[in-house]
Amino acid sequence: LLLNPDALLVKEYAALGQPFVYAVPCTPLKTESRLIQLNDELAKKIGLSSDYLRTNEGISILTGQTPWPDYNSIASVYCGHQFGVFVPQLGDGRAIIISEIRKGADYKQLQLKGAGPTPFSRRADGRAVLRSSIREYVASEALHALGIPTTRALSLTSTPDPVFRETTEMAAVVCRVSETFLRFGHVEYFSHTNHHQELLELLGWHIERHHSDLYSDNFEENPVPTLLDWFKWLSQATAKLMAQWQSVGFCHGVMNTDNMSLMGLTIDYGPYGFLDKFDIDHICNHSDTNRRYSYRNQPRIGHWNLYALASALMPLVQSERESLQLILDEFPQQFQTEHNALFALKMGLDLSRPEENKTEFIEYTLQMLHENKLDMTRFFRSLSALDSTNLAAIHAPSGDDTQSNWINEQFGLWQKSSTFPWSLGDESQVESARTWLKKWSAVADQETTGEKLNQINPIGIARNHLLQEAIAACEKGDDQPLNRLMRAVSQPYTEHSDLGDLYQAAPDWAEHLEISCSS
Ligand code: AMP
Ligand code: MG
């Protein structure tokens, strides 16, 4: 009933047993659950019957009320560096894997977040509140739709059961889906507790399953080459992930090593945020007073986290300290290359130009966005209104007139864009816009079209104030605003005519929204 005929329940991770995974039952909530979101597309993709999941029995499984038939749910132990400080034991404190499904080569784990305490809950309640569960559900699907690697969300259920945070809130459970929930912190745990044999076993299992191209049959006798190749892969994947986050203004908020995926996925959505007005120093978590996880710092922290992972790997690759160092040293350049490539596409730059030339223009643009406090999403989206044909003519030696006519014409086109980000009443803004256009004309690609730009610059973003409105409505039982937001973010490049209000810049009140870690 649950699974489509082409999908199988498997126990590949569960079979590892202790000390990797511990059998933990979910703790049912007291009140009947309400299914708020079900991801039909994802259900189908992994081989689940969404018709069944909508029935009372299905909902009961998605909240942890009823165990998955023939599967003993599990939780795992890890540790990590939180805000730079080593914490020797963490773990799945409120996340329980309820099944593993294999459909051909596609392998997925299903995990309930908020389904009760585990041996790793550290005196916390094992629950999640509706507010943070909505935020996780929306962002997972938003990033996925933006083409950014992430864990995904299958369902969101809630009950009126009280959960005590700064105030009393409603309980909720998100069922999330991923090929793995392993984190840097898992490696750190087995390394720092001196369980090196176990660490090797876990990594062998992981690499064989997810990187069969890197795995070799003599891994047990000679694991070092495979481990180095794998670390290199992960370092590159993390560099790319950081560039992708930066390109859409996504701030994770809590980039502790226990929130960094071994598959280079975005994982553990807490006090994240998408930039509204471009602010390079933006932090989305108000308890991050040192700005450790600011927008600007994310790539640097990704690199720092890889250092923590590398030192955890040291006992396994002892003689190869230098090789690890070389891989780490490549990270900044890899990040820069990915970052430039993405921003060059976002602005329709001529890709054949020298790298320094692109870097310079991208940095200038970001600085300009910061100084003018422009809405990031709307700025990039509005570029599709510009016309890059005839660029050659304006650089002809004929003089300033042609150029200033071109700028006037482009400015006219730009103003017509529904996402025009500049304030026309502000002379210095108009001047900045004209200067930007002039510089853009020197580096833009004549082949760029508005249509192409609209496929890389999203319009439907999970802005904080929209989440806030969706949460407030959901808490009163009205799912309409959440449904609309989901429609906007799951097709982020399509401008839906009836969702115009969701594409506006954030209202002033949103600037003061504070998102806390407690969730
Ligand atoms: P985070 O920084 O939100 O990813 O959480 C850090 C650690 O605290 C993880 O090991 C979580 O499993 C655990 N944790 C957070 N909230 C709870 C909770 N309400 N109950 C149990 N464990 C929790
Ligand atoms: Mg976490």
Side-chain angles (χ1 to χ4, degrees):
L1 278 180
L2 249 174
L3 293 170
N4 296 338
D6 50 352
L8 290 172
L9 177 75
V10 293
K11 297 173 185 173
E12 300 176 17
Y13 186 47
L16 286 178
Q18 289 186 22
F20 306 106
V21 295
Y22 294 76
V24 179
C26 299
T27 310
L29 287 152
K30 297 200 175 63
T31 333
E32 200 178 314
S33 299
R34 182 164 86 80
L35 179 65
I36 301 179
Q37 293 284 319
L38 181 68
N39 191 335
D40 290 295
E41 175 243 314
L42 178 61
K44 186 162 177 230
K45 185 161 174 275
I46 56 185
L48 287 168
S49 152
S50 34
D51 286 342
Y52 182 82
L53 290 175
R54 280 180 206 285
T55 64
N56 286 339
E57 293 106 45
I59 296 173
S60 178
I61 290 176
L62 294 174
T63 54
Q65 209 84 14
T66 309
W68 194 285
D70 198 28
Y71 191 94
N72 291 323
S73 53
I74 49 180
S76 70
V77 60
Y78 51 83
C79 67
H81 283 83
Q82 299 190 312
F83 292 89
V85 178
F86 182 66
V87 181
Q89 200 200 296
L90 296 158
D92 295 323
R94 52 164 167 175
I96 300 178
I97 291 177
I98 56 158
S99 71
E100 299 167 54
I101 299 173
R102 186 170 275 290
K103 194 176 138 192
D106 196 27
Y107 165 79
K108 290 285 184 298
Q109 300 178 347
L110 273 67
Q111 185 181 64
L112 298 185
K113 187 163 172 181
T118 75
F120 313 109
S121 301
R122 298 183 300 162
R123 292 193 300 277
D125 59 6
R127 296 295 176 199
V129 299
L130 178 57
R131 169 176 52 89
S132 69
S133 307
I134 291 175
R135 289 174 53 84
E136 168 134 11
Y137 188 94
V138 174
S140 320
E141 291 310 297
L143 263 72
H144 171 73
L146 290 166
I148 303 180
T150 175
T151 62
R152 298 199 58 189
L154 175 67
S155 65
L156 167 66
T157 48
S158 93
T159 79
D161 288 40
V163 176
F164 304 102
R165 298 290 182 260
E166 280 123 348
T167 56
T168 305
E169 302 193 41
M170 286 165 78
V173 176
V174 170
C175 178
R176 51 184 191 177
V177 174
S178 182
E179 55 265 51
T180 182
F181 291 99
L182 289 178
R183 302 131 192 277
F184 288 17
H186 282 95
V187 177
E188 289 181 280
Y189 178 80
F190 291 104
S191 177
H192 294 297
T193 52
N194 288 320
H195 288 88
H196 300 154
Q197 200 45 47
E198 286 82 355
L199 178 55
L200 201 57
E201 191 187 331
L202 182 66
L203 287 173
W205 181 84
H206 173 76
I207 297 170
E208 183 181 12
R209 185 158 270 79
H210 298 292
H211 304 276
S212 52
D213 52 327
L214 304 180
Y215 190 78
S216 77
D217 286 337
N218 68 346
F219 179 82
E220 271 164 42
E221 301 85 67
N222 182 20
V224 176
T226 301
L227 289 172
L228 290 174
D229 285 347
W230 168 73
F231 183 68
K232 186 169 181 160
W233 178 90
L234 183 54
S235 181
Q236 286 171 352
T238 306
K240 178 154 188 204
L241 181 69
M242 296 300 108
Q244 288 180 300
W245 285 2
Q246 300 303 91
S247 76
V248 296
F250 175 78
C251 302
H252 182 282
V254 196
M255 288 177 66
N256 294 333
T257 55
D258 52 298
N259 292 338
M260 296 291 290
S261 155
L262 281 197
M263 266 329 260
L265 308 172
T266 313
I267 188 171
D268 277 14
Y269 294 88
Y272 70 85
F274 284 86
L275 294 183
D276 288 311
K277 282 180 188 157
F278 190 85
D279 171 5
I280 201 143
D281 294 312
H282 181 76
I283 49 161
C284 41
N285 171 7
H286 73 236
S287 31
D288 185 6
T289 42
N290 292 329
R291 299 191 171 269
R292 180 179 172 88
Y293 299 139
S294 69
Y295 173 77
R296 181 209 295 266
N297 276 348
Q298 295 194 121
R300 220 176 300 160
I301 293 291
H303 195 197
W304 192 94
N305 288 339
L306 284 162
Y307 264 91
L309 180 62
S311 44
L313 287 173
M314 271 307 291
L316 302 189
V317 297
Q318 270 170 20
S319 55
E320 294 286 345
R321 171 185 275 274
E322 267 177 38
S323 309
L324 281 180
Q325 186 63 51
L326 284 176
I327 296 170
L328 286 166
D329 289 345
E330 285 169 3
F331 180 95
Q333 189 53 52
Q334 277 156 356
F335 166 75
Q336 200 58 49
T337 306
E338 298 283 356
H339 182 263
N340 279 3
L342 285 173
F343 276 92
L345 283 177
K346 285 172 82 66
M347 296 191 279
L349 303 192
D350 180 353
L351 297 178
S352 65
R353 288 187 164 270
E355 204 62 21
E356 315 86 71
N357 191 290
K358 276 185 275 172
T359 308
E360 196 182 309
F361 183 74
I362 292 165
E363 277 174 9
Y364 150 72
T365 302
L366 298 180
Q367 188 62 33
M368 181 284 291
L369 288 175
H370 180 81
E371 280 163 13
N372 289 279
K373 300 190 164 53
L374 295 190
D375 184 89
M376 181 183 185
T377 304
R378 290 172 62 82
F379 171 80
F380 285 106
R381 182 71 178 190
S382 72
L383 301 183
S384 64
L386 303 178
D387 179 4
S388 62
T389 49
N390 295 325
L391 283 176
I394 69 155
H395 297 299
S398 60
D400 294 344
D401 271 2
T402 333
Q403 198 170 63
S404 106
N405 285 345
W406 182 85
I407 292 177
N408 289 339
E409 193 183 288
Q410 296 296 323
F411 198 71
L413 290 173
W414 211 356
Q415 274 183 54
K416 290 195 197 123
S417 160
S418 63
T419 51
F420 185 67
W422 305 91
S423 145
L424 287 172
D426 181 336
E427 257 176 58
S428 79
Q429 285 228 345
V430 173
E431 203 39 50
S432 297
R434 294 177 63 91
T435 309
W436 186 85
L437 275 174
K438 188 170 159 188
K439 296 199 184 198
W440 182 70
S441 74
V443 290
D445 177 4
Q446 294 212 42
E447 308 288 311
T448 298
T449 61
E451 209 177 313
K452 271 197 218 159
L453 290 177
N454 277 348
Q455 282 165 20
I456 179 147
N457 292 316
I459 186 163
I461 286 291
R463 295 179 186 269
N464 250 338
H465 74 283
L466 301 174
L467 284 158
Q468 206 56 33
E469 286 166 353
I471 290 164
C474 254
E475 285 176 341
K476 294 192 196 112
D478 171 12
D479 300 343
Q480 213 43 38
L482 176 60
N483 293 337
R484 292 183 80 232
L485 180 56
M486 281 308 297
R487 207 148 70 78
V489 303
S490 36
Q491 287 183 300
Y493 303 105
T494 306
E495 188 166 353
H496 292 280
S497 55
D498 58 330
L499 299 179
D501 53 314
L502 304 188
Y503 305 140
Q504 301 306 313
D508 290 340
W509 62 263
E511 270 189 50
H512 310 292
L513 275 179
E514 288 201 334
I515 310 296
S516 77
C517 244
S518 93
S519 58

